[in-house]
């Protein structure tokens, strides 16, 4: 007959899709009730309306159903309170630290990071380096992180800075398309990868290594490895700014950036919607846990300019403002929703180059100025 311990160890194989650690470690399993061959499991989600709750529910069912003697599994989903959520994030963070040294079954194996004794992955990351490393994060997908990354890269370059872009969205890489580069990777004489030079921006992306639309199926540990390689195996020139386009979610990569690139600050992109703000808060939570600096918030798709100073607020209003207040960081700017922004991204000519007179271009330039002021404050 199935017992409590068996169920618990089965649940130890279920990972939270966002935090990438098992739900037992994260203290998400609240109660296990076994009645003969029927198992009831109470699971507390990190947030109300967690978009991934169905996956967690299914994974729990699958894991427990595999146990001999189990005929039915019922999952009751609840929600953590603020305190519990903070504990869960801090456990994920602790695990990520521990995971560097060990390959536990419950936590994804991670490559050994460079310790202080082994030096940084790249001169760009050394304590003495003057390169400002900025992660562009959001939590929710599709809010415009990559668009903001590409345009801020061009804007900072316009201000006279040497700018690099690292596309850490391994599955959904888009910087090649957005900045207008598509050649396969080239190596230099030292066998290091030469970044693309797209309109003066130095870019490294998964798009250099795979053919367009080819699916990438690497899992957790590979992601961490990838980031390391994007530093160690790339012939980065000297840079004033390195912008890292992060994948959506508060998971592995955000944690990796937080733990391995302590010099990196974050810029959080949100839309004016309440939900986007809440999800962005979770990303910020991870950053706070890791004591990572958040430079500011960029609100994207804020309004459609109607001319004569009139605006249509398609996605509501106030999300960016509220988020920046909660995080006690500046709202760096509100980027309008303009077709030239999307077209620029699709054509590989960012709006700052294709329509420099547009309102969005102006906003991106102002944001870049504020970033520069904040980064050197
Ligand atoms: N201000 C804007 N005006 C018009 N279109 C925009 C704007 N910002 C982003 N878009 C469009 O919205 C879509 C999503 O943007 P983008 O890919 O930058 O988001 P993302 O947050 O990086 O998404 P993902 O989470 O998938 O990485 C793209 O088609 C982009 O061109
Ligand atoms: Mg993106």
């Amino acid at each position: 007959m199935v017992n409590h311990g068996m169920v618990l160890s089965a649940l130890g194989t279920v990972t939270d899709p966002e935090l990438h650690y098992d739900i037992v470690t994260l203290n998400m399993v609240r109660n296990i009730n076994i009645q003969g061959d029927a198992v009831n499991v109470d699971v507390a989600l990190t947030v109300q309306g967690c978009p991934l709750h169905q996956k967690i529910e299914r994974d729990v069912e699958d894991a427990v159903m595999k146990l001999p003697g189990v005929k039915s599994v019922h999952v009751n989903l609840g929600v953590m309170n603020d305190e519990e959520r903070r504990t869960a994030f801090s456990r994920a963070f602790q695990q990520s630290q521990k995971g560097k040294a060990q390959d536990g079954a419950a936590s994804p194996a991670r490559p050994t990071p460079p310790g202080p004794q082994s030096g940084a992955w790249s001169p760009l990351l050394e304590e003495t380096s003057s390169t400002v490393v900025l992660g562009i994060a959001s939590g929710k997908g599709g809010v415009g992180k990559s668009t903001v990354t590409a345009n801020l890269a061009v804007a900072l370059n316009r201000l006279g800075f040497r700018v690099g872009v690292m596309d850490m969205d391994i599955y959904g890489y888009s910087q090649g398309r957005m900045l207008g580069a598509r050649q396969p990777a080239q190596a230099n004489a030292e066998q290091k990868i030469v970044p693309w030079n797209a309109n003066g921006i130095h870019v490294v992306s998964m798009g250099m290594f795979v053919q367009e639309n080819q699916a990438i199926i690497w899992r957790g540990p590979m992601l961490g490895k990838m980031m390391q390689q994007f530093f160690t195996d790339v012939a980065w020139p000297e840079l004033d700014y390195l912008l890292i386009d992060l994948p959506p979610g508060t998971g592995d990569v955000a944690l990796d950036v937080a733990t391995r690139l302590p010099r990196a600050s974050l810029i959080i992109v949100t839309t004016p919607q309440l939900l986007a703000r809440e999800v962005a808060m979770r990303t910020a939570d991870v950053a706070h846990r890791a004591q990572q600096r958040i430079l500011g918030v960029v609100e994207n798709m804020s309004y459609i300019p109607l001319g004569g100073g009139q605006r249509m607020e398609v996605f509501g209003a106030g999300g960016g403002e509220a988020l920046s207040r909660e995080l006690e960081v500046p709202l760096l700017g509100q980027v309008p929703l303009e077709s030239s922004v999307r077209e620029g991204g699709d054509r590989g000519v960012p709006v700052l180059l294709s329509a420099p007179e547009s309102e969005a271009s102006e906003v991106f330039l102002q944001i870049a100025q504020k970033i520069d002021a904040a980064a050197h404050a």
Side-chain angles (χ1 to χ4, degrees):
M1 228 194 53
V2 66
N3 63 35
H4 191 274
M6 288 158 73
V7 174
L8 199 61
S9 60
L11 293 173
T13 65
V14 177
T15 50
D16 178 287
E18 270 192 332
L19 293 174
H20 293 266
Y21 290 98
D22 73 279
I23 60 172
V24 176
T25 302
L26 294 174
N27 209 19
M28 291 168 68
V29 177
R30 287 308 147 85
N31 194 26
I32 297 170
N33 188 331
I34 302 169
Q35 306 273 340
D37 56 15
V39 180
N40 273 287
V41 185
D42 294 353
V43 174
L45 300 171
T46 50
V47 277
Q48 181 93 44
C50 170
L52 300 163
H53 70 270
Q54 280 168 335
K55 170 154 177 49
I56 298 179
E57 193 171 350
R58 211 174 40 237
D59 289 353
V60 168
E61 279 168 7
D62 290 350
V64 179
M65 274 307 270
K66 277 195 201 129
L67 294 171
V70 176
K71 289 248 167 65
S72 73
V73 181
H74 185 75
V75 185
N76 305 303
L77 295 178
V79 179
M80 292 183 174
N81 64 29
D82 286 350
E83 185 54 41
E84 291 167 333
R85 186 160 49 247
R86 265 193 288 278
T87 311
F89 279 115
S90 102
R91 285 193 182 191
F93 178 59
Q94 284 161 10
Q95 281 300 114
S96 80
Q97 301 283 61
K98 247 198 271 168
K100 290 170 184 170
Q102 73 187 38
D103 298 356
S107 60
R110 281 151 189 271
T112 316
Q117 67 287 4
S118 59
W121 280 340
S122 149
L124 297 178
L125 298 174
E126 269 160 22
E127 290 269 344
T128 50
S129 162
S130 60
T131 308
V132 176
V133 185
L134 296 173
I136 319 293
S138 72
K140 195 167 174 281
V143 297
K145 284 174 302 300
S146 303
T147 303
V148 168
T149 305
N151 281 288
L152 287 182
V154 177
L156 285 163
N157 187 237
R158 274 283 146 112
L159 296 178
F161 296 110
R162 298 165 294 180
V163 184
V165 169
M166 184 183 283
D167 188 352
M168 271 314 297
D169 195 342
I170 300 294
Y171 303 115
Y173 57 90
S174 57
Q175 287 303 334
R177 174 171 54 81
M178 291 203 171
L179 286 161
R182 47 171 66 238
Q183 322 79 287
Q186 309 279 338
N188 68 8
E190 280 95 50
Q191 291 307 307
K192 294 230 178 196
I193 299 151
V194 182
W196 277 323
N197 185 329
N199 291 302
I201 315 292
H202 305 279
V203 190
V204 169
S205 168
M206 225 25 238
M208 295 175 134
F209 308 98
V210 288
Q211 279 166 1
E212 213 155 335
N213 300 328
Q214 189 180 324
I216 299 173
I217 45 164
W218 291 339
R219 294 286 171 245
M222 269 316 284
L223 286 174
K225 191 112 197 133
M226 228 34 242
M227 183 163 77
Q228 182 175 1
Q229 287 181 347
F230 275 7
F231 278 106
T232 53
D233 298 353
V234 171
W236 286 106
E238 276 185 44
L239 297 173
D240 299 306
Y241 282 92
L242 176 64
L243 306 187
I244 306 180
D245 183 9
L246 295 171
T250 45
D252 247 22
V253 178
L255 268 175
D256 266 334
V257 170
T259 53
R260 290 156 193 249
L261 310 182
R263 279 194 52 241
S265 308
L266 284 188
I267 289 179
I268 309 236
V269 182
T270 185
T271 59
Q273 280 153 300
L274 195 64
L275 180 69
R277 187 193 98 207
E278 280 174 9
V279 182
M281 271 301 280
R282 281 188 275 157
T283 302
D285 213 354
V286 173
H288 278 311
R289 291 272 126 211
Q291 300 189 323
Q292 191 168 36
R293 181 178 175 204
I294 299 175
L295 210 69
V297 170
V298 171
E299 188 186 81
N300 187 30
M301 309 190 189
S302 297
Y303 58 90
I304 298 180
L306 300 176
Q310 297 276 87
R311 298 174 164 193
M312 182 158 90
E313 289 167 336
V314 224
F315 295 124
E321 180 76 53
L323 180 64
S324 66
R325 216 178 314 116
E326 277 169 83
L327 300 176
E328 298 176 354
V329 299
L331 176 62
L332 297 166
Q334 292 174 293
V335 183
L337 186 74
E338 286 186 81
S339 53
S340 56
V341 176
R342 189 196 48 74
E343 283 160 17
D346 287 348
R347 282 200 298 128
V349 189
V351 68
L352 251 137
L353 300 172
S354 60
E357 71 298 337
S358 65
E359 196 160 324
S361 295
E362 213 158 287
V363 173
F364 280 125
L365 271 177
Q366 286 163 4
I367 297 174
Q369 276 158 347
K370 286 191 190 162
I371 288 175
D372 191 48
H376 295 104

